[in-house]
Amino acid sequence: MLSINALKENYIDAVLSKTGLPFSVYTDTGDYKKATRSYNTVTEYINGLFIVTGSSVEYAGEQEIVSISTELKFLISLNDDTDINGNFENVQTFRETLSEAFSSVTPKFNITEDGKTYTVVVGYNLPATGIREQRTGVGDSITFSCSVYFAYLSNAVNASDIHLTIDGEPVYFLAIALSRRPSLIANLFTDNVNGESTVYTESAGFVIDLTLPAFIAKVGGIISNFILGLSDPNEPHTIVLDYGGKVVEKQMIFGETSAEGQGIENVRYTVSLAPYAVRASKEG
């Protein structure tokens, strides 16, 4: 199992380094790092704790499937400089810069430890404002916290490893399912008991099912045209699928496809793609 220090070094430190701000973050607990002076420059450190708040472990055979909930807690010392609206500039800078840093770092990374390569995926939420008060040794200060969620499995295929294009345009899906759907035929010539029979596959079709946001882009236009009946339902599209390094290219058409949304939520497409069969022309 990966240690909290490994998660901090491989992800949290990478995020914080993107901010350009002077952080001093400890795992579980640590000493408060006071401001330092170099000639006329004073560096006010942003002290923080990186702690585990929950975890779960499941097993697939001998493989561990681990989910870890963590929390980053920050203590911001308030200076005397405010903007024209009375807001503390260093607090505004901290929130905006940290949010941008989380967005700029890929929420997936690999760690090799003890001969195993772990694929770690990450989820996070934006910093939540805590309590402002006078603290001993710190003075006027305010806390912020944000949750970071890790899930990992060794030698696994992650959904983010799957890439798909339609007519050369990338598809940014929320969920994907790859299926081979056979047409099973009962073998009526074998002995059976209580009506049970062996079966064989007469044919099988490769199907891709997707859920994706309704972006106003080329792919979104292709999908919406199909749903609204503005395009030929038998028009083939070039599908290129990269499944963890295994690349296949197929001509496919849309199967059952829908657009759903409610209230102020964004619309989502549910798309099914099936292999395209060229119809033979009739003679005479």
Side-chain angles (χ1 to χ4, degrees), residues 109-134:
F109 58 94
N110 294 327
I111 300 178
T112 300
E113 196 169 85
D114 297 329
K116 295 182 179 179
T117 299
Y118 296 89
T119 298
V120 186
V121 292
V122 187
Y124 67 91
N125 59 20
L126 299 178
T129 307
I131 300 173
R132 177 183 177 182
E133 63 183 4
Q134 291 285 342

PDB file of all heavy atoms in Angstrom, residues 109-134:
ATOM      1  N   PHE A 109      -1.516   9.830 -12.091  1.00  0.00           N
ATOM      2  CA  PHE A 109      -0.074   9.648 -12.154  1.00  0.00           C
ATOM      3  C   PHE A 109       0.254   8.210 -11.776  1.00  0.00           C
ATOM      4  O   PHE A 109      -0.592   7.472 -11.230  1.00  0.00           O
ATOM      5  CB  PHE A 109       0.658  10.639 -11.233  1.00  0.00           C
ATOM      6  CG  PHE A 109       0.255  10.559  -9.779  1.00  0.00           C
ATOM      7  CD1 PHE A 109       0.982   9.779  -8.887  1.00  0.00           C
ATOM      8  CD2 PHE A 109      -0.839  11.275  -9.301  1.00  0.00           C
ATOM      9  CE1 PHE A 109       0.621   9.706  -7.553  1.00  0.00           C
ATOM     10  CE2 PHE A 109      -1.202  11.209  -7.965  1.00  0.00           C
ATOM     11  CZ  PHE A 109      -0.466  10.427  -7.092  1.00  0.00           C
ATOM     12  N   ASN A 110       1.458   7.791 -12.097  1.00  0.00           N
ATOM     13  CA  ASN A 110       1.915   6.443 -11.783  1.00  0.00           C
ATOM     14  C   ASN A 110       3.032   6.495 -10.744  1.00  0.00           C
ATOM     15  O   ASN A 110       3.886   7.382 -10.784  1.00  0.00           O
ATOM     16  CB  ASN A 110       2.426   5.726 -13.037  1.00  0.00           C
ATOM     17  CG  ASN A 110       1.318   5.462 -14.040  1.00  0.00           C
ATOM     18  OD1 ASN A 110       0.173   5.232 -13.660  1.00  0.00           O
ATOM     19  ND2 ASN A 110       1.646   5.488 -15.310  1.00  0.00           N
ATOM     20  N   ILE A 111       3.016   5.550  -9.820  1.00  0.00           N
ATOM     21  CA  ILE A 111       4.072   5.400  -8.831  1.00  0.00           C
ATOM     22  C   ILE A 111       4.569   3.956  -8.893  1.00  0.00           C
ATOM     23  O   ILE A 111       3.770   3.015  -8.835  1.00  0.00           O
ATOM     24  CB  ILE A 111       3.587   5.697  -7.399  1.00  0.00           C
ATOM     25  CG1 ILE A 111       3.067   7.128  -7.271  1.00  0.00           C
ATOM     26  CG2 ILE A 111       4.713   5.479  -6.388  1.00  0.00           C
ATOM     27  CD1 ILE A 111       2.521   7.460  -5.894  1.00  0.00           C
ATOM     28  N   THR A 112       5.865   3.768  -9.040  1.00  0.00           N
ATOM     29  CA  THR A 112       6.451   2.432  -9.007  1.00  0.00           C
ATOM     30  C   THR A 112       7.089   2.209  -7.647  1.00  0.00           C
ATOM     31  O   THR A 112       7.970   2.971  -7.223  1.00  0.00           O
ATOM     32  CB  THR A 112       7.496   2.251 -10.122  1.00  0.00           C
ATOM     33  OG1 THR A 112       6.855   2.440 -11.393  1.00  0.00           O
ATOM     34  CG2 THR A 112       8.092   0.854 -10.077  1.00  0.00           C
ATOM     35  N   GLU A 113       6.623   1.175  -6.958  1.00  0.00           N
ATOM     36  CA  GLU A 113       7.116   0.892  -5.611  1.00  0.00           C
ATOM     37  C   GLU A 113       7.107  -0.614  -5.401  1.00  0.00           C
ATOM     38  O   GLU A 113       6.116  -1.290  -5.714  1.00  0.00           O
ATOM     39  CB  GLU A 113       6.231   1.593  -4.573  1.00  0.00           C
ATOM     40  CG  GLU A 113       6.845   1.687  -3.189  1.00  0.00           C
ATOM     41  CD  GLU A 113       6.045   2.619  -2.289  1.00  0.00           C
ATOM     42  OE1 GLU A 113       5.059   2.164  -1.685  1.00  0.00           O
ATOM     43  OE2 GLU A 113       6.400   3.804  -2.206  1.00  0.00           O
ATOM     44  N   ASP A 114       8.212  -1.156  -4.909  1.00  0.00           N
ATOM     45  CA  ASP A 114       8.354  -2.596  -4.651  1.00  0.00           C
ATOM     46  C   ASP A 114       8.048  -3.429  -5.897  1.00  0.00           C
ATOM     47  O   ASP A 114       7.413  -4.493  -5.813  1.00  0.00           O
ATOM     48  CB  ASP A 114       7.425  -3.024  -3.500  1.00  0.00           C
ATOM     49  CG  ASP A 114       7.779  -2.337  -2.190  1.00  0.00           C
ATOM     50  OD1 ASP A 114       8.977  -2.032  -1.985  1.00  0.00           O
ATOM     51  OD2 ASP A 114       6.861  -2.086  -1.387  1.00  0.00           O
ATOM     52  N   GLY A 115       8.476  -2.931  -7.058  1.00  0.00           N
ATOM     53  CA  GLY A 115       8.297  -3.679  -8.293  1.00  0.00           C
ATOM     54  C   GLY A 115       6.916  -3.595  -8.896  1.00  0.00           C
ATOM     55  O   GLY A 115       6.647  -4.202  -9.934  1.00  0.00           O
ATOM     56  N   LYS A 116       5.999  -2.855  -8.272  1.00  0.00           N
ATOM     57  CA  LYS A 116       4.647  -2.699  -8.783  1.00  0.00           C
ATOM     58  C   LYS A 116       4.438  -1.266  -9.258  1.00  0.00           C
ATOM     59  O   LYS A 116       4.931  -0.322  -8.642  1.00  0.00           O
ATOM     60  CB  LYS A 116       3.608  -3.026  -7.702  1.00  0.00           C
ATOM     61  CG  LYS A 116       3.602  -4.480  -7.251  1.00  0.00           C
ATOM     62  CD  LYS A 116       2.507  -4.707  -6.216  1.00  0.00           C
ATOM     63  CE  LYS A 116       2.460  -6.144  -5.758  1.00  0.00           C
ATOM     64  NZ  LYS A 116       1.396  -6.353  -4.727  1.00  0.00           N
ATOM     65  N   THR A 117       3.703  -1.116 -10.353  1.00  0.00           N
ATOM     66  CA  THR A 117       3.351   0.211 -10.841  1.00  0.00           C
ATOM     67  C   THR A 117       1.892   0.489 -10.499  1.00  0.00           C
ATOM     68  O   THR A 117       0.993  -0.225 -10.955  1.00  0.00           O
ATOM     69  CB  THR A 117       3.556   0.329 -12.364  1.00  0.00           C
ATOM     70  OG1 THR A 117       4.943   0.100 -12.665  1.00  0.00           O
ATOM     71  CG2 THR A 117       3.154   1.712 -12.860  1.00  0.00           C
ATOM     72  N   TYR A 118       1.681   1.497  -9.680  1.00  0.00           N
ATOM     73  CA  TYR A 118       0.327   1.868  -9.258  1.00  0.00           C
ATOM     74  C   TYR A 118      -0.169   3.034 -10.111  1.00  0.00           C
ATOM     75  O   TYR A 118       0.532   4.035 -10.281  1.00  0.00           O
ATOM     76  CB  TYR A 118       0.315   2.290  -7.784  1.00  0.00           C
ATOM     77  CG  TYR A 118       0.678   1.192  -6.815  1.00  0.00           C
ATOM     78  CD1 TYR A 118       2.004   0.972  -6.452  1.00  0.00           C
ATOM     79  CD2 TYR A 118      -0.293   0.375  -6.265  1.00  0.00           C
ATOM     80  CE1 TYR A 118       2.358  -0.027  -5.561  1.00  0.00           C
ATOM     81  CE2 TYR A 118       0.044  -0.629  -5.362  1.00  0.00           C
ATOM     82  CZ  TYR A 118       1.366  -0.829  -5.022  1.00  0.00           C
ATOM     83  OH  TYR A 118       1.700  -1.821  -4.138  1.00  0.00           O
ATOM     84  N   THR A 119      -1.373   2.888 -10.642  1.00  0.00           N
ATOM     85  CA  THR A 119      -2.034   3.989 -11.338  1.00  0.00           C
ATOM     86  C   THR A 119      -2.945   4.689 -10.335  1.00  0.00           C
ATOM     87  O   THR A 119      -3.878   4.074  -9.803  1.00  0.00           O
ATOM     88  CB  THR A 119      -2.861   3.482 -12.524  1.00  0.00           C
ATOM     89  OG1 THR A 119      -1.989   2.840 -13.466  1.00  0.00           O
ATOM     90  CG2 THR A 119      -3.567   4.637 -13.219  1.00  0.00           C
ATOM     91  N   VAL A 120      -2.647   5.951 -10.060  1.00  0.00           N
ATOM     92  CA  VAL A 120      -3.382   6.704  -9.044  1.00  0.00           C
ATOM     93  C   VAL A 120      -4.213   7.784  -9.721  1.00  0.00           C
ATOM     94  O   VAL A 120      -3.700   8.561 -10.531  1.00  0.00           O
ATOM     95  CB  VAL A 120      -2.414   7.368  -8.035  1.00  0.00           C
ATOM     96  CG1 VAL A 120      -3.199   8.035  -6.903  1.00  0.00           C
ATOM     97  CG2 VAL A 120      -1.433   6.344  -7.477  1.00  0.00           C
ATOM     98  N   VAL A 121      -5.501   7.815  -9.425  1.00  0.00           N
ATOM     99  CA  VAL A 121      -6.373   8.871  -9.938  1.00  0.00           C
ATOM    100  C   VAL A 121      -6.794   9.758  -8.767  1.00  0.00           C
ATOM    101  O   VAL A 121      -6.893   9.300  -7.621  1.00  0.00           O
ATOM    102  CB  VAL A 121      -7.615   8.293 -10.656  1.00  0.00           C
ATOM    103  CG1 VAL A 121      -7.205   7.602 -11.938  1.00  0.00           C
ATOM    104  CG2 VAL A 121      -8.374   7.321  -9.765  1.00  0.00           C
ATOM    105  N   VAL A 122      -7.061  11.019  -9.070  1.00  0.00           N
ATOM    106  CA  VAL A 122      -7.267  12.017  -8.029  1.00  0.00           C
ATOM    107  C   VAL A 122      -8.543  12.818  -8.286  1.00  0.00           C
ATOM    108  O   VAL A 122      -8.868  13.143  -9.433  1.00  0.00           O
ATOM    109  CB  VAL A 122      -6.071  13.001  -7.971  1.00  0.00           C
ATOM    110  CG1 VAL A 122      -6.205  13.937  -6.782  1.00  0.00           C
ATOM    111  CG2 VAL A 122      -4.748  12.258  -7.926  1.00  0.00           C
ATOM    112  N   GLY A 123      -9.240  13.124  -7.228  1.00  0.00           N
ATOM    113  CA  GLY A 123     -10.353  14.075  -7.275  1.00  0.00           C
ATOM    114  C   GLY A 123     -10.149  15.085  -6.162  1.00  0.00           C
ATOM    115  O   GLY A 123      -9.531  14.785  -5.140  1.00  0.00           O
ATOM    116  N   TYR A 124     -10.643  16.279  -6.324  1.00  0.00           N
ATOM    117  CA  TYR A 124     -10.438  17.304  -5.300  1.00  0.00           C
ATOM    118  C   TYR A 124     -11.593  18.296  -5.331  1.00  0.00           C
ATOM    119  O   TYR A 124     -12.352  18.355  -6.302  1.00  0.00           O
ATOM    120  CB  TYR A 124      -9.118  18.046  -5.521  1.00  0.00           C
ATOM    121  CG  TYR A 124      -9.088  18.884  -6.782  1.00  0.00           C
ATOM    122  CD1 TYR A 124      -9.481  20.216  -6.774  1.00  0.00           C
ATOM    123  CD2 TYR A 124      -8.686  18.326  -7.993  1.00  0.00           C
ATOM    124  CE1 TYR A 124      -9.477  20.969  -7.935  1.00  0.00           C
ATOM    125  CE2 TYR A 124      -8.673  19.065  -9.158  1.00  0.00           C
ATOM    126  CZ  TYR A 124      -9.070  20.395  -9.131  1.00  0.00           C
ATOM    127  OH  TYR A 124      -9.073  21.128 -10.279  1.00  0.00           O
ATOM    128  N   ASN A 125     -11.729  19.070  -4.260  1.00  0.00           N
ATOM    129  CA  ASN A 125     -12.664  20.189  -4.280  1.00  0.00           C
ATOM    130  C   ASN A 125     -11.920  21.468  -3.949  1.00  0.00           C
ATOM    131  O   ASN A 125     -10.806  21.444  -3.437  1.00  0.00           O
ATOM    132  CB  ASN A 125     -13.848  19.967  -3.326  1.00  0.00           C
ATOM    133  CG  ASN A 125     -13.417  19.786  -1.890  1.00  0.00           C
ATOM    134  OD1 ASN A 125     -12.325  20.163  -1.485  1.00  0.00           O
ATOM    135  ND2 ASN A 125     -14.289  19.210  -1.072  1.00  0.00           N
ATOM    136  N   LEU A 126     -12.520  22.589  -4.278  1.00  0.00           N
ATOM    137  CA  LEU A 126     -11.872  23.886  -4.111  1.00  0.00           C
ATOM    138  C   LEU A 126     -11.770  24.252  -2.627  1.00  0.00           C
ATOM    139  O   LEU A 126     -12.552  23.762  -1.808  1.00  0.00           O
ATOM    140  CB  LEU A 126     -12.648  24.956  -4.875  1.00  0.00           C
ATOM    141  CG  LEU A 126     -12.736  24.736  -6.389  1.00  0.00           C
ATOM    142  CD1 LEU A 126     -13.566  25.832  -7.035  1.00  0.00           C
ATOM    143  CD2 LEU A 126     -11.353  24.673  -7.022  1.00  0.00           C
ATOM    144  N   PRO A 127     -10.821  25.109  -2.265  1.00  0.00           N
ATOM    145  CA  PRO A 127     -10.613  25.437  -0.848  1.00  0.00           C
ATOM    146  C   PRO A 127     -11.857  26.046  -0.201  1.00  0.00           C
ATOM    147  O   PRO A 127     -12.495  26.948  -0.754  1.00  0.00           O
ATOM    148  CB  PRO A 127      -9.465  26.468  -0.898  1.00  0.00           C
ATOM    149  CG  PRO A 127      -8.775  26.218  -2.188  1.00  0.00           C
ATOM    150  CD  PRO A 127      -9.839  25.784  -3.146  1.00  0.00           C
ATOM    151  N   ALA A 128     -12.195  25.528   0.978  1.00  0.00           N
ATOM    152  CA  ALA A 128     -13.317  26.052   1.754  1.00  0.00           C
ATOM    153  C   ALA A 128     -12.771  26.941   2.862  1.00  0.00           C
ATOM    154  O   ALA A 128     -11.756  26.626   3.501  1.00  0.00           O
ATOM    155  CB  ALA A 128     -14.132  24.903   2.351  1.00  0.00           C
ATOM    156  N   THR A 129     -13.432  28.069   3.081  1.00  0.00           N
ATOM    157  CA  THR A 129     -12.982  29.019   4.093  1.00  0.00           C
ATOM    158  C   THR A 129     -13.258  28.491   5.494  1.00  0.00           C
ATOM    159  O   THR A 129     -14.331  27.972   5.780  1.00  0.00           O
ATOM    160  CB  THR A 129     -13.701  30.364   3.910  1.00  0.00           C
ATOM    161  OG1 THR A 129     -13.536  30.797   2.567  1.00  0.00           O
ATOM    162  CG2 THR A 129     -13.133  31.407   4.852  1.00  0.00           C
ATOM    163  N   GLY A 130     -12.268  28.624   6.366  1.00  0.00           N
ATOM    164  CA  GLY A 130     -12.412  28.182   7.745  1.00  0.00           C
ATOM    165  C   GLY A 130     -12.667  29.349   8.689  1.00  0.00           C
ATOM    166  O   GLY A 130     -13.445  30.258   8.374  1.00  0.00           O
ATOM    167  N   ILE A 131     -11.962  29.353   9.820  1.00  0.00           N
ATOM    168  CA  ILE A 131     -12.225  30.317  10.889  1.00  0.00           C
ATOM    169  C   ILE A 131     -11.117  31.361  10.946  1.00  0.00           C
ATOM    170  O   ILE A 131      -9.936  31.030  10.902  1.00  0.00           O
ATOM    171  CB  ILE A 131     -12.335  29.602  12.247  1.00  0.00           C
ATOM    172  CG1 ILE A 131     -13.483  28.579  12.209  1.00  0.00           C
ATOM    173  CG2 ILE A 131     -12.541  30.596  13.379  1.00  0.00           C
ATOM    174  CD1 ILE A 131     -13.551  27.714  13.444  1.00  0.00           C
ATOM    175  N   ARG A 132     -11.513  32.618  11.050  1.00  0.00           N
ATOM    176  CA  ARG A 132     -10.560  33.707  11.280  1.00  0.00           C
ATOM    177  C   ARG A 132     -10.524  34.032  12.766  1.00  0.00           C
ATOM    178  O   ARG A 132     -11.562  34.241  13.392  1.00  0.00           O
ATOM    179  CB  ARG A 132     -10.966  34.949  10.491  1.00  0.00           C
ATOM    180  CG  ARG A 132     -10.048  36.146  10.742  1.00  0.00           C
ATOM    181  CD  ARG A 132     -10.512  37.391  10.019  1.00  0.00           C
ATOM    182  NE  ARG A 132      -9.648  38.531  10.332  1.00  0.00           N
ATOM    183  CZ  ARG A 132      -9.845  39.767   9.860  1.00  0.00           C
ATOM    184  NH1 ARG A 132     -10.871  40.019   9.040  1.00  0.00           N
ATOM    185  NH2 ARG A 132      -9.024  40.754  10.201  1.00  0.00           N
ATOM    186  N   GLU A 133      -9.298  34.055  13.324  1.00  0.00           N
ATOM    187  CA  GLU A 133      -9.154  34.397  14.739  1.00  0.00           C
ATOM    188  C   GLU A 133      -7.706  34.760  15.046  1.00  0.00           C
ATOM    189  O   GLU A 133      -6.811  34.579  14.216  1.00  0.00           O
ATOM    190  CB  GLU A 133      -9.600  33.231  15.620  1.00  0.00           C
ATOM    191  CG  GLU A 133      -8.778  31.976  15.464  1.00  0.00           C
ATOM    192  CD  GLU A 133      -9.315  30.831  16.324  1.00  0.00           C
ATOM    193  OE1 GLU A 133     -10.357  30.999  16.968  1.00  0.00           O
ATOM    194  OE2 GLU A 133      -8.674  29.770  16.347  1.00  0.00           O
ATOM    195  N   GLN A 134      -7.497  35.282  16.245  1.00  0.00           N
ATOM    196  CA  GLN A 134      -6.155  35.586  16.727  1.00  0.00           C
ATOM    197  C   GLN A 134      -5.553  34.309  17.301  1.00  0.00           C
ATOM    198  O   GLN A 134      -6.105  33.699  18.216  1.00  0.00           O
ATOM    199  CB  GLN A 134      -6.204  36.672  17.807  1.00  0.00           C
ATOM    200  CG  GLN A 134      -6.590  38.048  17.301  1.00  0.00           C
ATOM    201  CD  GLN A 134      -5.454  38.727  16.542  1.00  0.00           C
ATOM    202  OE1 GLN A 134      -4.282  38.334  16.664  1.00  0.00           O
ATOM    203  NE2 GLN A 134      -5.791  39.748  15.766  1.00  0.00           N
TER     204      GLN A 134
END
